Every structure is written in structure tokens, then in C-alpha cells.
Amino acid sequence: MARSSLTSDQAGAAWLGLLALSLVAFPWYKGAGLLAGPSASALVEAMTGRGWFWPLIAITIAMGGAALTRRWQQSSLVLGLAIAGLLLFLWQGFAVGLRGPSADWVGSLFARAADGQSGLGWGGFLAGIALIGLLSDLAAARGFCRGERFAAFCITAIVALLTVFVFFPILSLGLAAFIDPDGSLALAVFWERLSASELWGIGCLIGSGRCGVVVNTVILGVLSATLATALGLALALLVSRTDFRMKRALRAISILPIITPPFVVGVAIILLFGRTGLVTGGVADLMGVRPSRWVYGLPGILIAQVLAFAPVTFLVLLSTLEAINPTLEEAARTLGAKATTTFRTVTWPLLRPGLAAAFLLAFIESLADFGNPIVLGGGYEVLSVKIFFAVVGARYDLGNAATLAMILLALTLIAFWLQMRWMGNKSYVTVTGKSDAGLAAPLPPILKVAVLAVVLPWVVFTLGVYIIIAAGGFVTDIGRWDLTPTLGHLVTAFRFEFAETGLELYGSAWDSMITTLWVAGIAAPLTTLVGILTAWLVARQDFTGRRAFEFGTMLSFAIPGTVVGVSYVAAFNVPPVDITGTAAILIICFVFRNMPVGMRAGLAALAQIDKSMEEASQTMGAGGATTLRRVVLPLIRPAVFTALVYSFVTAMTAVSAVIFLVSARHNMATAYIMGRVEAGEYALAIAYSAVLMIVMILCVVVIQLLVGTRKLGRRQELQGRGPATEPAE
């Protein structure tokens, strides 16, 4: 007990020491180095007229004095001082903006507030970390998380990060929708934006013109999600419930769209079905008809989205099928049910959660999709493109973009609510502590034929698209069907030379490629760390507010990428957290956008591991951090691999969020490809995309080698011999 108390006192003193150093030794504002630069510490700034720092300094001194007493961490006074310190830290950040005080009384109280203040630097961020750490330590000393300081700190830190990088941007975006460009509240302007006829028109549904942007978005989302879910289900059934011999090839083909940059599929579809496309021209010559522009608009966007989202729904539904306890289907067959009856009465009802999740995922992705609509949209307007041009167009209108983004967020939340209503309170649990060594029921013959009829044309179409992608970057002009082989586009993008000074990079794509690799390489481990850590806290720690904590962590997944991008512009373009235009905002965006995937993968893996293994580790004296590192992580390597790969690939190919956040200094590969597509340089865009896909595949292989795998087996059906222990009929 004495050892634990001593360790606790040392931890609390360390957080207090970091807080004191952040106020005295580190530059408070951005623009300075870690220990030196033009910006001074909070103490120096306070002595030169920025008096709003004095209350925080005084509270730090008071807590330092209290730390000299015994059992200071159990003191209500110290806890109150720490909370007051955090509130004062937040207040000083928002009380004085870039151009002056946020309220008249602040300006009258502090004369230098008129000079304004820039965003937080090293001192400010370290002070925030120290206050969060101190609060978590004080909470643990009072019994939070049963006194486990590591878990208490993780929970407090994740809540703080979610507040800053998820809730605060959404709140800032909501406020921007109600504010005029001059900063005044304008409810009338908001209502005018919200009720515009160009948003809600239903002319296309009643045959009297076009539909509004919102209606177009919903129609596209529903159609895309329905078709992608149906195709994903067909793929999952073919892989998991048939003896189809090319399952590995089918899995590989289905994964290709996931690692493909967004614009490239749209470009390939144009090259196949555009007015001068290969298929369009061939059909026109064969049928003697005039080529049309039918691919531009809803049909083209729908084809591209189904191709892009079907692999995601396939993975969701495949995991759902594999999680169904096969003894249920085996029991139905033992009782005499036919294959069709077993599928209809047992398998299909248990697929309901997977179908709902797959549809919702595809619907959200369709709402947020930016790449396909901007390439194939033609005159078919959707919210994501409308938001983009409101922010980056000739007329910068953040208020209009914020209004449109809030509509997009509302559509997503409505979809979540409908999913919950459809699922109801029914239980779909089939995996228990009992044996699940049964064999999954085979697919009914008629359903197998139907699945093949759906999947095979999709395979042919997908191969056609990727043949265009593979060849398009290595011919003279794929757009005009000049198929003369050339490496010119590759040289333009990635030219390099070995000079006397070393390797010199001259290609136009090098900067964006290097930035993308750095950002993805940093974001992927951080995303995995936060996601797996959050899963461990939710699954293994018992603390007040656990359900609300879990819901908050999933909120970022429910927010479309377009909304995330605009909200980050609204929140982080001004102090106190002024990080727009930096690489940090790209990394942070990816971390909190993709964190829920790692969390869900971690929860699924932890559900298979008995808590007794961790309890044994803690009984032997290991702390929470040691138990997590040495016991839990080795057992959930598949979840770690999934989170790493997903977050890395998403960071390499994302566009809907980062298109608002890239800068000339920190450009991303997808933004570069988008620029080439807009300029009509299709071959260069395809060549870059092919290189990007190869790089991603190599990186995934490296991740697999570094992480390793842990395999858990089930009884398998022997190919050509029937079930291994199936009784003869």
C-alpha cells in the first residue's frame, strides 16, 4: 500500500511539475520552437501586460503549495483548484481572439487584449495536457476506475480529445450557419439558406423538372446503398456458403476498389462509357446510333459508388455470416428442413444486423462521397459538391457551407435513427460459451445461381475498369485512344536523378506522395492506438458514464467526411487551436475519423478473450498498462492489423474531408490527382494512382509482417469430400 501511495504522489507531482514548466519555460503561442523563439512563456506574457494569465498562474502556485501536505490528492480543495485551472485555461483561449477581446468587459479589464492573441503553442498545449493528467490522477485517487491511474488517464484524455476534435468542430460549424460574414447573428439569413427551393425541389419525382440538391443526395444515397448492400451480400454468400473455387481471386478483386483513389474509378468509367468511350463507341457503331452522354449524372455516379462501396458491404456481411453459430443451421437441417427453408428461417433473420450495418455504412459513404460526383456529376448536384464550391469557390461562403453541412449531418443522424428503429430490441446473439463446431448450411441451389448471376457480371465489369487503370497511365493518351506505349506520364510525375549531391527528385508528384506517406504513416499507428485503447476501456473497465463514453467515440463515424472537413475549417482556422494549413490537422482528422473502426475491431476481438487472463496478470502485480501491452495486445493482433490497414489505406485515399484541409505546403495524393482530372490529364492521374496502389499494397504487406497474425480455427468442410463429420444421408 505504501508503495502504491508513493507512486501516486509521484505521478501527481509530475503533472504539477509539467504544468509549472509549461507556464514558465515554454513559449505559450505558436510560431516558436520547443524551447526558444519569438514567443514568450505565459509568465513573461503576464508580466508584460497580458494579465489574463495571472489567475492560472496563481492556481498553479496554490496547487503546488497543497502538494507539500500529506494526502493532498484526496483534498476536495485541490480537486476544485484543478477544475478551476482547466476552466481558466479554456477561458483565456477564447476570451481574447486574433483581432481582440471577445467581449467589451475583457477589453476594459485587460488593455493588451486589444492586440489579440494567436493560437496555442508548445506551452499552451503542454498546459492542457498537464491539467488533464492532473485531473485524471485526482479522480483515480478518489476511486475512479477503482483507482487505476492508467485507465483513468486514458478515459480523461480520450474524452478531452473527442471534445476538442469532434464535438467542438461540430458546434463551431453549427454556429457558423447562423452568423453573417461580418460576425453578427442572422437567423433570417439562415432560414433563407435552409428553405431555398434549389435544395428541396421534387420536380424530378413528379415529371416537371429537376429535383433539389438534398433530394438528389437522398435518392443517390438510397439507390447506392441498396445496390451495394445487395452486391455485397451476393459476394459474401458466394465466398462463405458455396464451394466456388476462385474465392481467393474473388476476395482480391473485391478489395481493389478499397485501395483505389476516388477519382480514378470515375475516370475509367468515362473512358469506357463516355461519349467517346470504348464501350459507347462500339455499341454506337454496332447499333448505328449516336453516342450520348448518359454516363454523366445519376447513372454514372451510381455505377461508380456501387463499385466503390460493394467491397465494404461485402466485408461487413462476410463477418456477419462467419459469426453466425453454425449449430443453429445444422440443427434445422437435422430436423428435416430443406436448404431453402433453413436459409429463410434461420440464416436470413440472423443477417439482419449485418444488412442494417452495411446499408447504413454505404448510405453514409454515398452522402459524403465527393470524388465520384465531381467527376461524373454533370448537371446532377449533390450536397458534398455544393459544400465544396461554397468553401473553395470564387465566393467564400462558410455560412452557406455550414448550413448545407448541417443538413448532411441531419440526414446521417436520421439514417442512424431509422436503423435503430428497424433493429428494435431484438437479440441476435448466437456465439456463446458453448461449442459452435457445427457446419454452416450450404447455399440453396436456386440462390447460388442467382448469386452467380449477380457476381460474375460485376467481376467482368471490375476487371474492365482495372484494365483501363493498369494500362491508361502507360499509353500516350487513353482519352483519345492513342495506345502507343510510353513511360512519359510516369516520368512527369516521378522523375528523379542521382546527382553529385545525392538523389534529386524532380517529378511533379513527389511532394504530394511524400506528404501522403508521412501523414498516413503517422496517422495509422495513432488511430490504431486510440481505437484499440478505447475498445479496451469500454470492454474491460467499469466506470461511471461508460455508455455515454462509447456513444461519443462512435459519433465521429456517423459524421460524413465532407462535414468533418468543413467543421475543421470553421473550428481551427482561428485561435486558440489555429492549425489550419499544417500537417497536424490532416493527421488529427484521420485519427478521429477512422478511430471507430479500430474500436469496433478491438471490441469484437476482446469479446472472444476471457477476462480471467487479464485478472491473473493484475493479481501478479502488473498494472493496467503492462497488462494491456503484454497480455491483451498479443491476443488481438488481427484487430490491430485490421485497424492499421484500414486507417493507413483510408489516409492514403481519402478525399471528402481532406480536400478542405490540404495546403500548398502539405498537399495530399488525392488532391493532386483531383487537380490532374480537372485539367483533363487523365493519363497522368491514372499513372499516379497505379503507383499509389502499388505502394499501398507493399505497405500492407509490411504491416502484416510487423504485426503478425493470430489464427483461431474452426472445423472446415473438406473440398470435394463433404463435411468432415457430416452423417451420411
Side-chain angles (χ1 to χ4, degrees):
M1 182 64 70
R3 180 182 176 185
S4 175
S5 176
L6 179 62
T7 304
S8 178
D9 290 342
Q10 289 176 341
W15 290 121
L16 267 177
L18 179 60
L19 177 59
L21 282 174
S22 68
L23 295 170
V24 174
F26 293 97
W28 189 263
Y29 296 117
K30 65 180 297 186
L34 183 59
L35 295 173
S39 177
S41 67
L43 179 61
V44 174
E45 295 285 359
M47 291 190 296
T48 55
R50 297 183 186 269
W52 52 87
F53 288 113
W54 283 122
L56 181 58
I57 295 171
I59 283 181
T60 303
I61 295 172
M63 286 192 292
L68 300 177
T69 63
R70 294 186 61 186
R71 301 182 63 83
W72 65 276
Q73 290 176 312
Q74 283 76 31
S75 170
S76 298
L77 175 61
V78 175
L79 180 61
L81 287 173
I83 294 174
L86 182 60
L87 293 176
L88 282 170
F89 171 77
L90 296 174
W91 173 81
Q92 67 81 28
F94 290 98
V96 181
L98 187 63
R99 295 183 177 86
S102 58
D104 293 338
W105 67 270
V106 176
S108 61
L109 192 60
F110 306 107
R112 282 204 62 188
D115 298 337
Q117 64 177 352
S118 60
L120 294 175
W122 281 104
F125 283 117
L126 289 176
I129 294 170
L131 286 166
I132 293 298
L134 183 60
L135 275 174
S136 69
D137 198 71
L138 294 173
R142 301 171 74 88
F144 183 63
C145 285
R146 300 178 181 178
E148 173 59 55
R149 292 195 317 280
F150 175 72
F153 173 72
C154 290
I155 292 169
T156 310
I158 291 173
V159 168
L161 291 171
L162 289 173
T163 301
V164 174
F165 297 116
V166 177
F167 299 111
F168 172 61
I170 294 300
L171 178 61
S172 300
L173 182 64
L175 293 175
F178 296 92
I179 296 176
D180 261 351
D182 60 0
S184 59
L185 186 65
L187 296 179
V189 175
F190 169 74
W191 178 251
E192 182 181 346
R193 294 169 178 157
L194 186 64
S195 59
S197 58
E198 64 177 9
L199 298 182
W200 307 100
I202 58 172
C204 65
L205 301 178
I206 59 177
S208 61
R210 293 186 175 184
C211 279
V213 178
V214 177
V215 178
N216 282 344
T217 304
V218 173
I219 292 173
L220 176 63
V222 171
L223 291 175
S224 178
T226 301
L227 295 177
T229 302
L231 182 54
L233 177 61
L235 284 165
L237 289 172
L238 190 63
V239 169
S240 66
R241 297 302 171 91
T242 70
D243 56 355
F244 188 68
R245 296 192 176 185
M246 300 181 66
K247 292 182 181 181
R248 289 182 179 271
L250 193 61
R251 283 176 180 262
I253 293 172
S254 66
I255 297 301
L256 282 175
I258 296 178
I259 63 172
T260 304
F263 306 99
V264 181
V265 172
V267 170
I269 290 174
I270 290 175
L271 295 175
L272 286 172
F273 302 107
R275 191 167 184 177
T276 59
L278 177 64
V279 176
T280 303
V283 171
D285 293 340
L286 182 64
M287 305 294 293
V289 296
R290 186 177 181 180
S292 67
R293 295 173 55 87
W294 68 271
V295 77
Y296 296 98
L298 178 60
I301 303 174
L302 187 59
I303 292 172
Q305 288 192 349
V306 171
L307 181 67
F309 305 151
V312 180
T313 61
F314 160 63
L315 294 176
V316 171
L317 291 167
L318 181 62
S319 64
T320 304
L321 281 167
E322 291 177 343
I324 294 175
N325 191 335
T327 56
L328 299 175
E329 297 170 316
E330 198 169 46
R333 294 165 60 195
T334 302
L335 292 172
K338 295 182 179 180
T340 305
T341 305
T342 300
F343 182 84
R344 178 174 54 84
T345 59
V346 179
T347 309
W348 180 255
L350 292 174
L351 277 173
R352 195 172 179 179
L355 290 169
F359 181 90
L360 181 64
L361 184 61
F363 183 76
I364 293 174
E365 291 293 335
S366 175
L367 294 184
D369 185 27
F370 169 77
N372 294 312
I374 200 169
V375 173
L376 294 163
Y380 194 86
E381 289 188 319
V382 294
L383 281 170
S384 58
V385 176
K386 195 85 171 176
I387 292 169
F388 172 75
F389 285 116
V391 173
V392 303
R395 181 186 175 188
Y396 177 78
D397 191 350
L398 183 60
N400 188 36
T403 303
L404 297 174
M406 296 308 293
I407 294 173
L408 194 58
L409 179 59
L411 293 176
T412 304
L413 296 178
I414 290 171
F416 263 97
W417 179 79
L418 290 175
Q419 182 209 29
M420 293 175 62
R421 292 280 296 178
W422 186 59
M423 294 291 295
N425 295 320
K426 296 182 178 66
S427 174
Y428 298 90
V429 175
T430 67
V431 179
T432 65
K434 300 179 181 179
S435 172
D436 63 348
L439 289 169
L443 204 62
I446 188 171
L447 194 55
K448 182 178 178 180
V449 173
V451 164
L452 286 171
V454 171
V455 170
L456 293 181
W458 174 82
V459 169
V460 173
F461 175 70
T462 303
L463 289 175
V465 168
Y466 281 92
I467 288 172
I468 293 293
I469 293 175
F474 304 97
V475 297
T476 301
D477 191 347
I478 188 70
R480 298 182 180 179
W481 296 106
D482 183 352
L483 304 182
T484 306
T486 180
L487 294 178
H489 308 299
L490 200 61
V491 171
T492 300
F494 297 105
R495 185 166 67 92
F496 64 91
E497 293 180 5
F498 289 99
E500 295 181 358
T501 56
L503 181 65
E504 298 286 345
L505 305 178
Y506 296 105
S508 61
W510 277 118
D511 288 342
S512 61
M513 173 65 84
I514 293 171
T515 300
T516 302
L517 286 171
W518 271 109
V519 169
I522 296 173
L526 290 176
T527 306
T528 303
L529 174 65
V530 176
I532 296 296
L533 192 58
T534 304
W536 178 71
L537 293 171
V538 171
R540 293 298 194 255
Q541 300 297 321
D542 187 12
F543 55 92
T544 304
R546 184 163 63 93
R547 293 298 178 190
F549 176 77
E550 182 179 4
F551 173 78
T553 57
M554 289 301 297
L555 181 62
S556 60
F557 181 71
I559 303 173
T562 309
V563 179
V564 173
V566 178
S567 67
Y568 271 42
V569 171
F572 302 129
N573 201 33
V574 293
V577 186
D578 181 7
I579 55 176
T580 301
T582 66
I585 196 171
L586 296 169
I587 295 170
I588 291 169
C589 176
F590 288 132
V591 169
F592 292 96
R593 176 79 176 130
N594 301 324
M595 178 196 73
V597 175
M599 175 188 166
R600 285 302 170 189
L603 285 173
L606 286 168
Q608 299 177 332
I609 300 172
D610 199 315
K611 291 183 181 179
S612 61
M613 302 183 70
E614 297 163 63
E615 292 169 353
S617 172
Q618 293 171 343
T619 301
M620 297 297 291
T626 303
T627 300
L628 177 64
R629 177 173 56 87
R630 303 193 63 175
V631 177
V632 177
L633 288 179
L635 292 173
I636 59 171
R637 284 181 178 177
V640 174
F641 174 74
T642 299
L644 273 172
V645 170
Y646 179 86
S647 54
F648 180 82
V649 170
T650 303
M652 293 285 287
T653 60
V655 64
S656 59
V658 300
I659 196 66
F660 301 96
L661 307 177
V662 294
S663 61
R665 184 177 180 184
H666 301 289
N667 197 16
M668 297 286 287
T670 50
Y672 178 92
I673 294 171
M674 174 185 170
R676 304 287 68 75
V677 171
E678 288 182 332
E681 299 175 8
Y682 292 161
L684 181 57
I686 291 175
Y688 191 174
S689 301
V691 172
L692 198 64
M693 292 170 65
I694 293 172
V695 169
M696 281 188 283
I697 292 172
L698 293 176
C699 289
V700 169
V701 172
V702 171
I703 292 172
Q704 173 122 26
L705 293 175
L706 291 176
V707 175
T709 58
R710 175 187 65 87
K711 295 183 179 180
L712 297 176
R714 262 187 185 151
R715 181 160 58 101
Q716 299 290 330
E717 185 171 344
L718 300 177
Q719 293 291 339
R721 295 187 178 183
T725 58
E726 184 82 348
E729 296 183 2

